[in-house]
Amino acid sequence: LGATNFEGGIRVVGLIRWSGKIPKGLEIYEPTSNMDMFPTVVQLTGGQLPQDRVIDGRPLVDLLLGTSQSSDHEFMFHYCSFTVQAVRWRPKHRDSVFKMFHFTPNFYPVNSTGCYHTHVCFCSPNHITTHNPPLLYDLTLDPSESTPLSPGSEQDYHDIIRTMDAAVREHRDSLQPRESEMSVGKVLPKPWLQPCCSSVSQLCQCHKER
């Protein structure tokens, strides 16, 4: 299940060192995101987050210092390419952590745990199975995501689905179109931005005495 949005692909160990700050031997069992690094650095440097957009990341400072045991993420959205494939929810009123899948990859061979014919699981319609209603798991009781919940096994099943669907809609509405990272202005080399003591006439050529 590696390289997928199942827990086997998400629960990847991360190591952070901050001498004199992070308590020795601290272990954190909370999922985090690469997007959390931006607000973390901003907080550590005393800066202010932009107010003209939604920041999906959450600062990790309290977790790293051991002053908090839980992430500030109530919802986490797991993408497959450009599409939200799954959403994780930690309700504030109970101890369970739920995860809902809108679609899952078509593993091959059947009943395996990977896409061994293509070496990577794709997100296009021919390579996925859409679930309606979505697959819902209680990660606290079923971290291997082997037994989907049903109205018979979870009394709040329909309310959980509605809450998570509403969170996905709110998340999608918060997205703003951005310029493609592959546009001409982004891919052309910009030698004047190189971290060296160059000039217009001598790009990236530094004198030793300087």
Side-chain angles (χ1 to χ4, degrees):
L1 298 179
T4 71
N5 283 320
F6 288 99
E7 290 299 283
I10 291 176
R11 298 193 182 198
V12 179
V13 175
L15 301 175
I16 297 180
R17 180 179 180 181
W18 188 8
S19 298
K21 294 293 185 179
I22 298 179
K24 184 177 180 180
L26 177 66
E27 297 181 0
I28 300 171
Y29 295 96
E30 287 289 290
T32 59
S33 166
N34 288 336
M35 294 183 294
D36 296 335
M37 298 307 299
F38 173 60
T40 300
V41 171
V42 169
Q43 181 176 340
L44 290 175
T45 56
Q48 297 292 326
L49 290 173
Q51 301 299 309
D52 61 342
R53 69 202 68 183
V54 175
I55 304 298
D56 292 310
R58 298 291 184 269
L60 303 175
V61 177
D62 290 341
L63 280 174
L64 297 178
L65 297 182
T67 57
S68 176
Q69 302 301 315
S70 60
S71 166
D72 288 338
H73 287 285
E74 180 179 2
F75 295 96
M76 294 188 74
F77 304 96
H78 304 295
Y79 277 77
C80 186
S81 186
F82 301 104
T83 306
V84 176
Q85 179 187 6
V87 56
R88 176 192 304 261
W89 179 35
R90 182 201 297 273
K92 297 178 180 179
H93 60 282
R94 56 187 294 180
D95 295 331
S96 297
V97 176
F98 297 104
K99 188 168 167 195
M100 180 179 74
F101 281 89
H102 292 290
F103 63 88
T104 51
N106 295 333
F107 290 147
Y108 185 88
V110 178
N111 297 326
S112 67
T113 58
C115 305
Y116 296 104
H117 56 317
T118 56
H119 303 290
V120 63
C121 293
F122 296 109
C123 308
S124 54
N126 293 336
H127 294 88
I128 63 173
T129 297
T130 301
H131 303 285
N132 188 18
L135 297 180
L136 180 65
Y137 298 97
D138 184 340
L139 298 181
T140 308
L141 301 176
D142 182 25
S144 63
E145 297 159 300
S146 59
T147 308
L149 298 176
S150 67
S153 60
E154 170 56 57
Q155 62 179 0
D156 296 327
Y157 175 87
H158 294 294
D159 289 337
I160 294 169
I161 294 290
R162 280 193 291 267
T163 299
M164 299 177 82
D165 276 339
V168 171
R169 289 193 298 271
E170 182 178 352
H171 169 70
R172 286 173 176 162
D173 290 343
S174 72
L175 301 178
Q176 301 178 13
R178 309 295 295 178
E179 179 185 356
S180 171
E181 294 299 322
M182 300 304 294
S183 63
V184 175
K186 294 290 183 70
V187 300
L188 286 177
K190 299 179 178 64
W192 57 88
L193 295 180
Q194 297 294 327
C196 61
C197 52
S198 61
S199 64
V200 175
S201 60
Q202 293 183 320
L203 296 178
C204 284
Q205 296 182 25
C206 302
H207 298 287
K208 291 184 178 180
E209 61 270 19
R210 296 183 183 175

